[in-house]
């Protein structure tokens, strides 16, 4: 469970790099918190993991309960699986609210769009349901796994916090914390309680630790488990031990949260609910790995309009035909086309997306046009983000990270 | 949305900065400006908006008579020979948010200009007053350098006065004397600005020397190492974007965006298409296009206000018992 949501994106839905025994073309894809490979069959994954599909009836229910259109990621099946989300909605209908928990492992300064996706969705959940949110920055994890210094990991945590805040979270409902700052007190007490419930063999099974791994890694899992329990935040949820928790994350985190869900009832807490997303493809498509060391595999929030245009034009894997003539005859292969996939994430207008898919798939529209529209949309998103980020001061980060009550968090 | 002249003047008044205001017809050149305010006992300034090959921008503000040699300046900044040229017209709007013929040190009040470096003519210091445009070509204000410095400090800037006519040797043992004035961050303009030649107009008010109006290929230089660098540091220099601390400007920005869409949606063809229903149609369009953007702006406004309150609270002195 080294990385969080962005891990999925960094490994990418890559063709098997020969790592695992099962990695033949048609064979099982490998999906776990530290590796994502192969062509993913999401239905099989849901079966294998034992989570639920997020079907249309749940989406309709969300729309009814929140009195607003469901987020584009729900409509397009980006967030497509869950555990106990229906129970969260049942409780919500009865008047029992919940809180959100998400996080980031601050391993690099440069964030790309894939990193932003869980945060964009979490912001929507915060606004739609009017519930509080805790965001964990696992600087300790990165210090241990990436072998960077304590100071550097703390610095990265603060830098990443700025990008996260720029996604538009409401300071009166959001608590951001870094492990180095916050672990202790009630949080640590819960960590010890969790640790007592999980055997060494179990963590080895889930996380694949070996005798060579240092003990910091082995004792880390509880740190990421306990934010699911309201008593870890006495300044926020004092006396609300039965408050439920909903965790938006990428589906590769599922095995990790299974550990937490297993432990929760033994400690007298509700199991945290999960709402899970598929992976954000690398620019080069299924055969590419989105990686921080290859700036051309992803669109970064620091990219200029020109960078974005160039990256889409030069590196995006398309399903269009080689020539205009062929394109008009055969149309594009929408299954593998990255621009269309990206549009399905970021183009809000359902009708326009349908139109593009029909026209492009039949050959009446060219790859050039699809890329142009995508570039427009991505530039708008990135520039909006940049502007918001420029308005985030160090004082604002301090405010978000202050241990303080949030009196209107359910308002 | 950039500052307006009135907002700037109000700000100067708030800061108790002394200046004299002169209104006149719109002028685009120093010569034209001289016709109206040449005899008020203050010195005219010429203001150049420049950029270097690495997308870094500069305002050089000098007495109208000072000779400014871009080749020499370029070397003194450490940009080599010919490293400086006039910034393209689009940059004026995008970065300084002023119209043509209106380059002025006061443009630095805009958040968009926070990475623009300012070089001021040493000669200003000995003048009783110097004339600048306060973000609009139909007005000139005169103030002395003490007042100008006060303003610049209020926006987090350190005034840098330079002997613009000096021509010191730059070589292996003589480092460029103005190197410290090169901005640490480049500014990348939206795509349409790339490749556009600097307009002939922008030369008029600048008394520029060797400007070749050939297409400027702006390369956003990016290496993998650079990709890691976070470009938009929330710097300690400039205050957060004024829209988020000033309710008035916040509302103006919202109204500007709304007006822009409203006006663009009311056209001959849409009037014909929708007739009486046009109002309802445009109203829907406005909601659809603006709702999420305005909500984001509002959240930033709220977060900014909360932060200021929080910050004040941490320094608050408890009431005496």
């Amino acid at each position: 469970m080294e990385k969080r949501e962005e891990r999925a994106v960094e490994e990418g839905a890559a063709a098997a790099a020969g790592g695992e025994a099962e990695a033949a073309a048609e064979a099982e894809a490998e999906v776990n918190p530290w590796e994502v490979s192969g062509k993913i069959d999401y239905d099989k994954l849901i079966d294998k993991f034992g989570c639920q599909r997020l079907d249309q009836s749940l989406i309709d229910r969300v729309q009814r309960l929140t009195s607003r259109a469901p987020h584009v990621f729900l409509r397009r099946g980006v967030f497509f699986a869950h555990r106990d989300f229906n129970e969260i909605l049942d409780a919500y209908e009865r008047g029992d609210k919940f809180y959100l928990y998400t996080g980031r492992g601050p391993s690099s300064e440069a964030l790309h769009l894939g990193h932003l996706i869980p945060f964009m969705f979490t912001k929507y959940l915060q606004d739609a349901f009017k519930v509080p949110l805790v965001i964990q920055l696992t600087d300790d994890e990165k210090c241990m796994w990436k072998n960077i210094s304590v100071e550097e990991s703390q610095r990265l945590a603060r830098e990443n916090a700025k990008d996260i805040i720029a996604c538009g979270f409401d300071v009166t409902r959001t608590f951001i914390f870094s492990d180095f700052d916050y672990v202790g007190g009630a949080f640590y007490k819960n960590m010890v309680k969790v640790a007592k419930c999980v055997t060494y063999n179990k963590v080895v099974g889930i996380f694949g630790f070996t005798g060579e791994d240092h003990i910091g890694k082995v004792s880390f899992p509880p740190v990421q488990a306990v934010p699911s329990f309201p008593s870890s935040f006495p300044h926020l949820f004092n006396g609300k031990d039965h408050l439920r928790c909903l965790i938006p994350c990428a589906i590769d985190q599922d095995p990790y949260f299974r550990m937490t869900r297993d432990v929760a009832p033994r400690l007298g807490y509700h199991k945290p609910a999960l709402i899970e997303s598929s992976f954000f493809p690398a620019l080069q498509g299924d055969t590419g790995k989105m990686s921080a060391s290859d700036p051309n595999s992803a669109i970064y929030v620091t990219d200029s309009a020109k960078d974005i245009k160039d990256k889409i034009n030069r590196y995006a894997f398309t399903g269009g035909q080689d020539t205009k003539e062929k394109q008009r005859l055969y149309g594009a292969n929408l299954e593998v086309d990255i621009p269309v996939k990206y549009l399905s994430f970021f183009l809000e207008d359902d009708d326009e997306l349908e139109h593009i898919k029909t026209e492009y798939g039949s050959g009446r529209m060219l790859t050039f046009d699809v890329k142009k529209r995508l570039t427009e949309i991505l530039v708008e998103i990135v520039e909006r983000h940049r502007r918001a980020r420029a308005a985030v001061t160090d004082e604002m980060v301090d405010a978000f990270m202050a241990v303080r009550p949030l009196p209107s968090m359910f308002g | 949305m950039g500052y307006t002249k009135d907002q700037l003047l109000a700000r100067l008044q708030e800061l108790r900065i002394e200046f004299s205001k002169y209104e006149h017809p719109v002028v685009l050149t120093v010569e034209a400006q001289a016709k109206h305010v040449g005899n008020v006992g203050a010195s005219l300034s010429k203001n150049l908006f420049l950029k270097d090959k690495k997308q870094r921008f500069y305002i050089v503000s000098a007495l109208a008579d000072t000779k400014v040699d871009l080749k020499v300046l370029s070397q003194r900044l450490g940009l080599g020979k010919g490293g400086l040229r006039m910034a393209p017209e689009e940059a004026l709007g995008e970065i300084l948010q002023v119209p043509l013929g209106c380059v002025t040190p006061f443009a630095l009040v805009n958040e968009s200009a926070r990475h623009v470096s300012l070089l001021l003519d040493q000669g200003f210091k000995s003048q009783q007053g110097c004339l600048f445009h306060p973000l609009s070509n139909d007005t000139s204000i005169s103030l002395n350098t003490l007042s100008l410095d006060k303003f610049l400090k209020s926006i987090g800037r350190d005034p840098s006065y330079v002997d613009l006519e000096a021509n010191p040797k730059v070589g292996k043992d003589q480092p460029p004397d103005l190197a410290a004035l090169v901005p640490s961050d480049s500014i990348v303009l939206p795509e349409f600005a790339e490749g556009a030649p600097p307009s002939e107009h922008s030369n008029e008010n600048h008394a520029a020397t060797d400007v070749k109006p050939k297409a400027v290929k702006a390369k956003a230089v990016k290496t993998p190492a650079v990709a890691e660098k976070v470009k938009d540091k929330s710097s300690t220099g400039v205050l957060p974007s004024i829209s988020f601390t000033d309710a008035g400007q916040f509302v103006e920005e919202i109204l500007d965006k709304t007006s822009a869409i409203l006006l663009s949606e009311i056209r001959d063809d849409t009037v014909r298409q929708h007739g009486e229903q046009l109002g309802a149609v445009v109203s829907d369009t406005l909601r659809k296009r603006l709702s999420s953007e305005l909500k984001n702006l509002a959240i930033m406004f709220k977060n900014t206000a909360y932060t200021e309150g929080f910050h004040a609270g941490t320094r608050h002195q408890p009431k005496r018992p």
Side-chain angles (χ1 to χ4, degrees):
Chain A
M1 91 325 57
E2 194 197 317
K3 305 174 199 188
R4 289 180 150 271
E5 294 82 333
E6 85 276 10
R7 157 75 88 160
V9 143
E10 279 183 17
E11 304 293 352
E20 294 298 311
E22 302 162 324
E26 291 295 313
E28 297 272 308
E30 193 57 42
V31 177
N32 54 54
W34 67 101
E35 182 185 348
V36 173
S37 60
K39 184 149 174 30
I40 316 281
D41 180 333
Y42 287 106
D43 285 312
K44 273 202 188 146
L45 203 56
I46 290 181
D47 276 338
K48 180 175 170 193
F49 284 172
C51 44
Q52 262 41 58
R53 253 236 180 242
L54 236 181
D55 57 26
Q56 189 59 42
S57 67
L58 267 179
I59 300 178
D60 292 337
R61 206 174 161 200
V62 167
Q63 174 156 18
R64 261 197 333 271
L65 282 174
T66 59
S67 310
R68 65 172 76 189
H71 191 269
V72 62
F73 292 163
L74 278 174
R75 299 196 314 265
R76 307 279 167 74
V78 172
F79 276 82
F80 72 108
H82 75 95
R83 288 186 188 272
D84 294 342
F85 186 49
N86 49 323
E87 287 192 22
I88 291 272
L89 296 181
D90 289 342
Y92 189 78
E93 239 170 346
R94 288 195 300 266
D96 290 335
K97 297 244 187 172
F98 59 93
Y99 73 101
L100 294 160
Y101 156 40
T102 191
R104 168 159 171 85
S107 58
S108 61
E109 273 189 78
L111 266 82
H112 53 61
L113 290 180
H115 293 137
L116 291 188
I117 286 177
F119 290 110
M120 291 160 128
F121 189 64
T122 305
K123 172 195 152 62
Y124 151 77
L125 289 172
Q126 179 178 64
D127 290 344
F129 286 97
K130 301 208 187 321
V131 289
L133 161 66
V134 301
I135 302 181
Q136 179 182 43
L137 296 170
T138 55
D139 40 7
D140 51 348
E141 180 196 10
K142 290 308 160 187
C143 177
M144 289 194 277
W145 261 269
K146 295 281 177 181
N147 198 20
I148 49 181
S149 72
V150 169
E151 292 75 21
E152 178 63 3
S153 64
Q154 286 185 291
R155 186 188 71 81
L156 287 174
R158 275 186 77 91
E159 283 305 308
N160 283 182
K162 290 180 185 164
D163 279 292
I164 291 172
I165 292 171
C167 292
F169 293 107
D170 182 339
V171 69
T172 63
R173 278 207 251 270
T174 308
F175 174 54
I176 302 181
F177 65 100
S178 89
D179 290 341
F180 277 132
D181 286 340
Y182 191 66
V183 168
F187 193 91
Y188 184 59
K189 290 177 188 168
N190 277 341
M191 276 170 58
V192 172
K193 288 188 196 173
V194 167
K196 285 169 74 171
C197 292
V198 184
T199 64
Y200 177 73
N201 288 336
K202 191 95 189 270
V203 288
V204 167
I206 299 178
F207 304 114
F209 297 134
T210 69
E212 297 308 304
D213 283 311
H214 61 69
I215 56 178
K217 290 188 183 179
V218 177
S219 51
F220 180 74
V223 177
Q224 214 166 322
V226 307
S228 320
F229 308 136
S231 57
S232 302
F233 305 102
H235 64 286
L236 296 177
F237 305 132
N238 197 15
K240 293 195 175 71
D241 280 358
H242 291 293
L243 188 60
R244 289 166 192 270
C245 176
L246 174 64
I247 308 177
C249 61
I251 194 162
D252 67 330
Q253 299 295 309
D254 190 276
Y256 166 69
F257 286 112
R258 271 181 252 149
M259 181 197 92
T260 311
R261 284 171 56 89
D262 188 53
V263 167
R266 289 190 259 165
L267 300 181
Y269 297 130
H270 281 302
K271 294 182 190 182
L274 301 173
I275 182 165
E276 297 161 309
S277 70
S278 58
F279 308 114
F280 187 63
L283 268 177
Q284 297 93 330
D286 286 343
T287 54
K289 280 177 77 128
M290 204 179 301
S291 112
S293 55
D294 178 9
N296 293 320
S297 61
I299 305 288
Y300 287 84
V301 300
T302 44
D303 282 345
S304 68
K306 186 171 186 298
D307 289 332
I308 295 175
K309 183 173 173 203
D310 285 343
K311 284 185 185 180
I312 300 291
N313 282 338
R314 285 189 217 152
Y315 301 109
F317 185 83
T318 79
Q321 300 297 334
D322 294 333
T323 65
K324 262 195 206 166
E325 293 71 30
K326 273 197 186 165
Q327 171 66 7
R328 299 230 187 262
L329 269 179
Y330 302 119
N333 179 357
L334 298 180
E335 281 293 303
V336 300
D337 188 273
I338 288 294
V340 160
K341 284 198 183 171
Y342 276 30
L343 281 175
S344 74
F345 277 76
F346 297 117
L347 172 55
E348 303 240 352
D349 188 335
D350 290 338
D351 292 332
E352 191 186 342
L353 181 67
E354 268 321 293
H355 175 78
I356 291 178
K357 279 180 162 172
T358 324
E359 297 298 286
Y360 187 46
S362 67
R364 287 187 290 271
M365 193 184 282
L366 301 175
T367 304
F368 173 78
D369 300 308
V370 178
K371 283 187 172 180
K372 183 154 168 272
R373 183 67 179 118
L374 176 64
T375 304
E376 251 170 40
I377 292 178
L378 293 182
V379 166
E380 197 187 307
I381 292 177
V382 166
E383 290 194 341
R384 194 189 291 194
H385 182 92
R386 261 216 294 281
R387 183 189 179 184
R389 195 197 195 278
V392 178
T393 56
D394 282 308
E395 286 77 22
M396 197 182 285
V397 174
D398 290 336
F400 268 89
M401 294 184 74
V403 176
R404 70 212 187 278
L406 298 177
S408 55
M409 60 181 161
F410 290 113
Chain B
M1 187 41 224
Y3 262 73
T4 63
K5 167 184 81 174
D6 292 322
Q7 283 166 334
L8 173 69
L9 294 178
R11 185 84 173 268
L12 293 178
Q13 276 161 347
E14 263 172 62
L15 292 165
R16 302 207 199 291
I17 290 177
E18 294 197 356
F19 64 92
S20 305
K21 182 171 91 163
Y22 306 92
E23 289 179 345
H24 49 68
V26 166
V27 293
L28 290 176
T29 63
V30 178
E31 292 74 20
Q33 190 185 21
K35 290 200 185 103
H36 301 285
V37 289
N39 292 324
V40 301
S43 310
L44 291 156
S45 70
K46 63 185 174 198
N47 297 268
L48 302 104
F49 186 39
L50 308 168
K51 80 181 255 273
D52 67 21
K53 293 180 175 165
K54 292 193 175 170
Q55 309 304 313
R56 295 177 297 214
F57 291 82
Y58 310 77
I59 294 180
V60 173
S61 185
L63 290 170
D65 295 331
T66 299
K67 294 197 199 1
V68 177
D69 185 334
L70 289 187
K71 285 201 289 276
V72 168
L73 254 186
S74 173
Q75 284 205 293
R76 289 174 72 185
L77 285 163
L79 306 172
K81 292 192 194 150
L84 269 184
R85 49 191 70 195
M86 304 298 290
E89 198 177 308
E90 290 78 10
L92 223 64
E94 281 293 318
I95 298 176
L96 294 187
Q97 304 204 59
V98 294
L100 271 182
C102 197
V103 178
T104 165
F106 290 103
L108 296 181
V109 72
N110 287 312
E111 163 78 347
S112 50
R114 74 184 173 287
H115 293 307
V116 176
S117 177
L118 175 65
L119 282 76
L120 296 163
D121 188 349
Q122 191 128 288
F124 283 151
K125 285 193 174 174
S126 54
Q127 308 299 311
Q128 275 209 318
C130 307
L131 287 156
F132 303 97
H133 284 309
L135 305 180
S136 165
N137 307 46
D138 62 3
T139 313
S140 302
I141 56 173
S142 86
L143 65 174
N144 61 27
T145 50
L146 281 165
S147 302
L148 181 62
D149 288 352
K150 194 168 173 194
F151 167 74
L152 291 170
K153 294 207 177 97
S154 82
I155 56 169
R157 292 279 190 154
D158 229 350
S160 310
Y161 290 90
V162 171
D163 179 359
L164 290 171
E165 290 186 335
N167 188 352
K169 202 161 129 82
V170 173
K172 198 159 73 94
D173 296 316
Q174 301 90 359
D177 67 314
L178 301 179
L181 295 173
V182 172
S184 53
D185 282 314
S186 57
I187 305 176
V188 187
L189 295 173
E191 190 215 332
F192 63 80
E194 251 72 22
S199 153
E200 288 302 311
H201 291 299
S202 57
N203 294 348
E204 285 176 276
N205 202 26
H206 300 317
T209 49
D210 55 309
V211 178
K212 300 180 191 57
K214 61 178 192 267
V216 178
K217 269 245 172 72
K219 274 193 305 208
V221 177
K222 238 192 166 121
T223 63
V226 173
E228 292 289 307
K229 192 169 89 147
V230 175
K231 281 215 167 134
D232 255 349
K233 306 184 182 58
S234 76
S235 66
T236 48
V238 182
L239 297 166
S241 182
I242 280 300
S243 299
F244 304 126
T245 51
D246 181 323
Q249 190 165 12
F250 181 63
V251 167
E252 286 302 315
E253 179 165 354
I254 293 177
L255 289 175
D256 284 341
K257 289 187 200 286
T258 312
S259 290
I261 296 183
L262 187 69
L263 293 171
S264 77
E265 289 292 310
I266 298 186
R267 313 181 297 266
D268 281 341
D269 57 303
T270 55
V271 170
R272 264 174 296 166
Q273 184 183 356
H274 299 288
E276 283 175 0
Q277 295 302 312
L278 185 59
V281 168
V282 173
S283 172
D284 270 344
T285 308
L286 277 172
R287 247 182 231 284
K288 190 167 139 186
R289 282 173 62 177
L290 282 181
S291 172
S292 104
E293 184 178 346
L294 293 184
K295 282 180 190 169
N296 285 340
L297 286 180
I299 264 288
M300 292 197 274
F301 191 84
K302 177 177 175 181
N303 286 348
T304 306
Y306 179 105
T307 300
E308 286 197 9
F310 180 80
H311 194 64
T314 57
R315 280 154 181 69
H316 143 81
Q317 285 174 10
K319 285 204 178 109
R320 290 189 206 114

